[in-house]
Amino acid sequence: MNDFLSKLNKQQKEAVDYKLGSSLILAGAGSGKTLVLTSKIIWFLNNNIMQNHEFMAVTFTNKAAKEIITRITSQVMINPRHFWIGTFHGLCNRFLTTHFNEANLSRNFQIIDTLDQLSLVKKIIKDLNINSEQFQPRNILYFINNAKEQGLRPDDIEVNDNYSEVCNKVYKNYKLRCDESNLVDFGELILRTYETLKKNKILREHYIQRFKYLFVDEFQDTNLLQYKLLKTLSGSDTKLFAVGDDDQSIYSFRGARISNMQDVIKDYDIKNIIRLEQNYRSYNNILKAANLIISNNPSRIGKNLWSDAGDGDKIKIFRATDDFSESSFIAESINKLIKNGEKLRDIAILYRNNAQSRILEHVFFQNSIKYRVYGGVRFFERLEVKNVLAYLRLINDKTDNHSFERIINFPPRGIGNKTLLKIKQFSSENGLNYFESLEKIPSSGKLKNFINDFKNTIESIKNELATLNLEELINETIIRFKIDEYYNNQVDGLARGENLKELVNAGGYFENENSDETENTLLEFLNQAALESGESNNDFEAVQLMTVHSAKGLEFNSVFVSGLEEGLFPHENSISSEYDLEEERRLMYVAVTRAKHNLYLSFAEIRKIYGQTKYSIVSRFIDEIGEELVEYVNKKNSYNFINTSASIDLGNGISVGCTVLHKRFGEGIVIKIEGNKSDLRYQINFIDNGIKWLAADLAKLEKIN
């Protein structure tokens, strides 16, 4: 056996050497699956089991494809020009470029991206006189792409209601225009390849004879159409080597079909399931926790990760009073890790949804901890957040022309570039700002109504500034301008809606922290938002903030998984469905297995949604970890706060249960006291303003009884 095989463990060697038939390689996190896949190809080539033109290897990223090619060419003296190694989209593009006539395409067909698709859908909606507010272009595009992922043309789709009828009408028109203009989108690349092979027996038999071996990486991420394509390329003698991990199937929202893992065993008569269970990434305590969590999924094929690196430290669990305390604990723990020699870039904070980054970003900013939002943008730079901030800036200062221009037609209200240009010209000619121009510019009909509604709503909210706290102001702005309604109708509306809710929370936190220190709370909040978004987001030496979905395939020395509460992680939309709950558990499995040395899990007793306090219970995923594997940073049954009827000696006699008066928030009851004399703070349930945390030395409370 070649020298390079000597570095493989027993199971890896078995997977590489097996050549009797198709096989499924269950490759656990950190088990060296890419090494095994490439080693198998090299082994087969070096031993003349297959020739360089007799195999096709499919990956899910161009990076992975390049890595495989580089590894192969380092071990085999062969020109990679004949290799069919790449993504599904890349390989299908190659096929269609070669067989454009058979696919009913012209030689110079053009590939269009998602933005091009959206632009075409918008044009079709306009041409067909379809209401774009009722039938959002992004939603119709999702309908089209989802249909293609299932291998469905417009005539294949069963129409049951008006919505699907309209969507399918657009799909039919979309296909017609793409065919006329020789345009091919990403989904079409695979669907057109599949259809061409299905209907052309000679071509199909050619490729079945050519590709005697099919290698597929990340098999758990394949969708229905991709699996159909693989079966179309397979004959009775085809050997398929599928490498994947059903425990890491987390992309059902992208069309990934976990049942493909079970189907491939039956469809390819796989008798050889090899489990790669030795992990080269993490300490055993982390792996044991992952095994215990995922064992609660009854439909998995099954494997058990282990490591010879030793047990390592126990998993640390922090039970916070609220999300601010949770973020503060994470910041404090990061500083300790840095003092002990950890690099910032080797630390990651994982969360279920993007909105959770906001409070973390705020606390990190306060503590001068460099951070980077991996695969995304910082909270205050997100599109929906910036749109609301622009409204707030205009409410604060009607002379802000930049903000006016940003939101005059957001959400869409029929004010196009032509009208905006008219406003600009009128302003310039009359020495007015854009907002002032609205009152005097000649207008009529529908346009006049739009302008009046916009102007009056801005004025109305501005007049209420004195009576609204910051939370209420932000919330009212979102509601009155129907920003939440607009995003509710978008494909990505859930994530954007969560960010809007978190923006409301941000206002509340800011006001609590600065209630006695500023005259213009709104202006100071806007300035703070600008400061937090203004620093570079590209620092290499920075803590990595990311969703768990973004973390797949990555690893870090130290990992924090935050927000482990029922309804948040697992997400509330998944709890009622066993299928969805299993995917949430797989997501947790992915989160845990990102950690090499240190794993921290945290949850909050209280979390605010749209300014409303939500009392939470700990995620079931924490309960699924054995007690012997964890240690609580604070006591399991304690929230680390002072909860006593005895007065804290600050000279005011205030204790839990006291009724107090605050000059801004009014009357309320002290429900918790946290900290010591130097950093004492009160949690108060105000009658008119809800629950708030106030620093004892700044709050200036008056005890009523």
Side-chain angles (χ1 to χ4, degrees), residues 282-300:
S282 308
Y283 286 133
N284 257 322
N285 280 339
I286 294 170
L287 300 177
K288 287 175 183 177
N291 291 333
L292 285 168
I293 292 167
I294 203 65
S295 67
N296 290 277
N297 275 3
S299 61
R300 61 193 289 260

Side-chain angles (χ1 to χ4, degrees), residues 24-227:
L24 173 63
I25 301 165
L26 280 182
S31 63
K33 66 177 179 63
T34 304
L35 174 65
V36 168
L37 183 68
T38 53
S39 296
K40 190 174 187 73
I41 295 172
I42 294 167
W43 177 243
F44 277 28
L45 289 172
N46 277 342
N47 289 276
N48 296 316
I49 299 169
M50 70 183 184
Q51 303 302 309
N52 65 327
H53 62 276
E54 291 183 325
F55 77 95
M56 182 172 73
V58 187
T59 68
F60 272 82
T61 65
N62 289 317
K63 181 182 176 183
K66 289 177 181 176
E67 184 181 350
I68 291 172
I69 292 171
T70 301
R71 290 192 183 187
I72 293 172
T73 53
S74 70
Q75 296 288 334
V76 184
M77 298 299 294
I78 196 168
N79 190 333
R81 188 169 61 88
H82 298 293
F83 289 168
W84 277 64
I85 300 175
T87 64
F88 275 103
H89 294 118
L91 294 173
C92 287
N93 178 47
R94 181 173 178 177
F95 174 88
L96 294 176
T97 301
T98 306
H99 304 287
F100 58 89
N101 279 326
E102 293 89 342
N104 293 321
L105 292 168
S106 67
R107 183 187 297 273
N108 60 338
F109 68 85
Q110 181 184 347
I111 299 173
I112 58 174
D113 60 18
T114 304
L115 288 177
D116 294 327
Q117 282 186 281
L118 187 60
S119 179
L120 180 55
V121 168
K122 286 178 178 177
K123 190 175 188 309
I124 293 169
I125 288 173
K126 184 178 180 180
D127 292 347
L128 296 177
N129 291 316
I130 295 170
N131 187 332
S132 61
E133 292 188 8
Q134 184 179 358
F135 298 93
Q136 294 283 336
R138 287 187 181 276
N139 293 347
I140 294 181
L141 181 57
Y142 177 81
F143 177 93
I144 294 170
N145 288 339
N146 186 58
K148 289 191 176 189
E149 286 176 356
Q150 298 179 60
L152 301 175
R153 293 299 188 187
D155 292 342
D156 303 322
I157 295 173
E158 190 176 329
V159 175
N160 307 319
D161 52 45
N162 180 57
Y163 185 82
S164 58
E165 183 180 354
V166 173
C167 288
N168 204 44
K169 183 180 180 180
V170 177
Y171 181 15
K172 190 174 292 186
N173 199 285
Y174 173 89
K175 183 182 183 306
L176 181 64
R177 296 196 190 193
C178 285
D179 289 344
E180 289 174 346
S181 302
N182 213 30
L183 304 176
V184 176
D185 59 46
F186 293 138
E188 187 69 21
L189 287 170
I190 303 176
L191 182 53
R192 188 68 67 105
T193 300
Y194 169 71
E195 290 175 338
T196 303
L197 288 168
K198 283 290 286 184
K199 70 182 180 184
N200 193 319
K201 185 178 178 181
I202 295 174
L203 199 58
R204 183 172 70 253
E205 289 298 325
H206 166 76
Y207 280 100
I208 288 174
Q209 291 300 314
R210 175 174 179 169
F211 297 134
K212 296 179 173 63
Y213 301 88
L214 299 176
F215 299 86
V216 186
D217 195 15
E218 302 286 3
F219 195 83
Q220 78 281 349
D221 293 335
T222 55
N223 62 32
L224 179 60
L225 180 59
Q226 290 163 346
Y227 187 59

Side-chain angles (χ1 to χ4, degrees), residues 19 208 213 245 261 277 305 309 353 458 493 512 546 556 623 667 672 678:
K19 51 186 174 289
I208 288 174
Y213 301 88
D245 185 2
M261 294 288 288
E277 297 177 308
L305 295 179
N353 64 60
I458 291 285
N512 284 346
M546 67 189 75
F556 303 91
D623 291 336
E667 187 177 322
K672 289 179 183 175
S678 61

Side-chain angles (χ1 to χ4, degrees), residues 306-318:
W306 62 275
S307 170
D308 60 7
D311 287 341
D313 292 337
K314 288 188 176 184
I315 297 161
K316 295 176 178 62
I317 297 178
F318 182 74

Side-chain angles (χ1 to χ4, degrees), residues 5 11 136 163 178 228 235 240 258 356 370 378 429 457 530 544 616 673 688 691:
L5 292 184
Q11 287 72 35
Q136 294 283 336
Y163 185 82
C178 285
K228 284 182 174 180
L240 173 74
I258 191 173
Q356 291 172 252
K370 288 186 177 181
R378 295 186 175 204
E429 292 168 0
T457 306
Q544 309 294 302
S616 305
I673 303 177
D688 296 323
I691 295 176

Side-chain angles (χ1 to χ4, degrees), residues 305-566:
L305 295 179
W306 62 275
S307 170
D308 60 7
D311 287 341
D313 292 337
K314 288 188 176 184
I315 297 161
K316 295 176 178 62
I317 297 178
F318 182 74
R319 188 168 192 162
T321 54
D322 55 26
D323 44 1
F324 183 86
S325 307
E326 180 187 40
S327 298
S328 298
F329 161 74
I330 293 172
E332 182 183 340
S333 300
I334 289 172
N335 284 328
K336 288 179 181 177
L337 287 168
I338 300 303
K339 285 181 182 178
N340 291 330
E342 192 78 281
K343 303 281 188 190
L344 283 171
R345 64 178 178 268
D346 293 327
I347 303 171
I349 320 300
L350 311 185
Y351 35 77
R352 179 62 180 82
N353 64 60
N354 265 311
Q356 291 172 252
S357 79
R358 201 280 310 169
I359 185 66
L360 288 161
E361 290 183 54
H362 178 64
V363 171
F364 287 3
F365 180 82
Q366 288 185 321
N367 287 272
S368 301
I369 297 174
K370 288 186 177 181
Y371 69 91
R372 174 173 176 256
V373 180
Y374 182 89
V377 296
R378 295 186 175 204
F379 181 82
F380 286 115
E381 293 175 342
R382 293 168 191 168
L383 177 65
E384 60 279 11
V385 174
K386 290 184 73 165
N387 285 337
V388 177
L389 291 176
Y391 272 106
L392 294 173
R393 288 192 179 95
L394 194 61
I395 290 167
N396 180 69
D397 180 9
K398 291 191 292 185
T399 69
D400 188 339
N401 287 345
H402 178 73
S403 295
F404 178 98
E405 191 171 351
R406 182 182 183 94
I407 51 83
I408 185 61
N409 196 41
F410 176 82
R413 51 174 68 90
I415 300 178
N417 290 332
K418 187 176 178 180
T419 304
L420 182 58
L421 182 61
K422 188 177 176 182
I423 293 170
K424 287 182 175 180
Q425 287 176 340
F426 188 88
S427 298
S428 179
E429 292 168 0
N430 294 277
L432 303 171
N433 61 61
Y434 296 168
F435 192 89
E436 288 172 328
S437 297
L438 290 182
E439 296 177 335
K440 300 180 181 181
I441 194 168
S443 61
S444 60
K446 191 176 180 181
L447 175 60
K448 186 176 182 178
N449 292 333
F450 276 136
I451 289 175
N452 285 337
D453 286 346
F454 175 78
K455 180 174 67 66
N456 291 338
T457 306
I458 291 285
E459 292 280 11
S460 172
I461 299 176
K462 190 172 182 66
N463 291 335
E464 295 174 27
L465 279 176
T467 60
L468 296 174
N469 62 42
L470 196 52
E471 273 182 8
E472 294 167 336
L473 174 63
I474 299 171
N475 197 31
E476 285 295 310
T477 301
I478 292 169
I479 293 171
R480 293 197 202 180
F481 286 103
K482 300 181 179 180
I483 300 171
D484 52 343
E485 285 185 24
Y486 173 77
Y487 284 120
N488 283 341
N489 293 320
Q490 302 294 312
V491 172
D492 55 356
L494 178 62
R496 295 193 186 277
E498 286 169 341
N499 284 329
L500 292 179
K501 293 175 183 178
E502 189 55 36
L503 182 60
V504 175
N505 294 342
Y509 280 113
F510 181 84
E511 195 159 41
N512 284 346
E513 291 178 346
N514 301 277
S515 59
D516 298 311
E517 300 176 9
T518 180
E519 293 182 3
N520 189 337
T521 305
L522 174 57
L523 178 60
E524 291 298 322
F525 174 72
L526 293 170
N527 289 339
Q528 183 67 24
L531 285 172
E532 291 192 26
S533 66
E535 294 187 356
S536 171
N537 199 24
N538 299 312
D539 288 325
F540 177 68
E541 192 55 50
V543 176
Q544 309 294 302
L545 273 64
M546 67 189 75
T547 64
V548 184
H549 282 103
S550 300
K552 188 170 178 289
L554 304 177
E555 60 183 48
F556 303 91
N557 286 344
S558 301
V559 170
F560 296 79
V561 186
S562 64
L564 283 164
E565 301 132 35
E566 289 290 301

Side-chain angles (χ1 to χ4, degrees), residues 558-616:
S558 301
V559 170
F560 296 79
V561 186
S562 64
L564 283 164
E565 301 132 35
E566 289 290 301
L568 187 56
F569 197 3
H571 197 277
E572 59 186 352
N573 292 346
S574 68
I575 292 175
S576 59
S577 164
E578 188 60 36
Y579 179 87
D580 292 337
L581 184 59
E582 285 197 20
E583 178 145 338
E584 288 289 299
R585 188 172 282 111
R586 292 193 294 270
L587 196 59
M588 180 64 180
Y589 176 85
V590 168
V592 168
T593 54
R594 298 312 93 195
K596 296 164 67 175
H597 304 149
N598 305 301
L599 178 61
Y600 301 78
L601 309 177
S602 61
F603 60 98
E605 182 194 17
I606 296 172
R607 199 172 293 273
K608 296 184 76 174
I609 306 292
Y610 259 149
Q612 299 298 310
T613 299
K614 179 181 178 182
Y615 293 87
S616 305

